[in-house]
Amino acid sequence: MTTTTPTTTTTTGGQVPPALRLYHELLADRERLMKAHHRLLAEQNALLAQIDLLCARSTAAGPHSPCGSPPPLSTVQRQVLVLMAGGAKDGTIARRLNLSERSVRRQVEALAQRSGASNRFTLALAAIRIGWLPAGP
């Protein structure tokens, strides 16, 4: 004989069936993932606010600041930036664009210098802020 309540289903022995137990565990995992996701979004928003503040400060410092309005990118620079921001390594970018790895590294370094970025991650963020890359997927 099986009894049903709004929250659980048990058999006459008082044990929860394995499928129902697994379902409840999955729901709990989903809730933990959702909370972690919301924490990450909050941290991302805080980071973006800090970037906005730094950009505002550097723009006030002069026309050649990292978040000012730099000249547009060349076709090669834009292609390198898009592939790099997508996670491609220098070798992959070089093969796709028919460039040497050294040329790719130089392009990335030049873009980082122009944007005031210190690494590839901050370069991608700066490129979005500057308008070199679209925000979003």
Side-chain angles (χ1 to χ4, degrees), residues 78-97 101 104-105 108 120-121 123-124:
R78 179 168 302 283
Q79 290 171 332
V80 167
L81 184 59
V82 167
L83 291 170
M84 188 238 26
K89 303 289 183 202
D90 291 346
T92 303
I93 296 170
R95 284 188 299 279
R96 285 193 184 168
L97 300 180
E101 284 189 50
V104 171
R105 281 193 300 274
V108 171
R120 293 167 85 98
F121 177 74
L123 172 56

Side-chain angles (χ1 to χ4, degrees), residues 26-39:
L26 289 172
L27 282 178
D29 287 345
R30 181 182 178 272
E31 289 299 318
R32 283 192 294 273
L33 287 172
M34 293 292 289
K35 288 178 183 177
H37 176 71
H38 286 101
R39 280 193 310 270

Side-chain angles (χ1 to χ4, degrees), residues 6-23:
T7 57
T8 62
T9 303
T10 60
T11 59
T12 54
Q15 297 178 346
V16 177
L20 186 59
R21 190 171 355 114
L22 178 60
Y23 175 74

Side-chain angles (χ1 to χ4, degrees), residues 59-73:
T59 301
H64 299 294
S65 61
C67 296
S69 296
L73 301 177

Side-chain angles (χ1 to χ4, degrees), residues 85-115:
K89 303 289 183 202
D90 291 346
T92 303
I93 296 170
R95 284 188 299 279
R96 285 193 184 168
L97 300 180
N98 199 26
L99 299 171
S100 70
E101 284 189 50
R102 186 174 185 179
S103 292
V104 171
R105 281 193 300 274
R106 284 184 179 165
Q107 292 290 344
V108 171
E109 288 169 7
L111 290 166
Q113 186 175 9
R114 283 179 64 184
S115 67

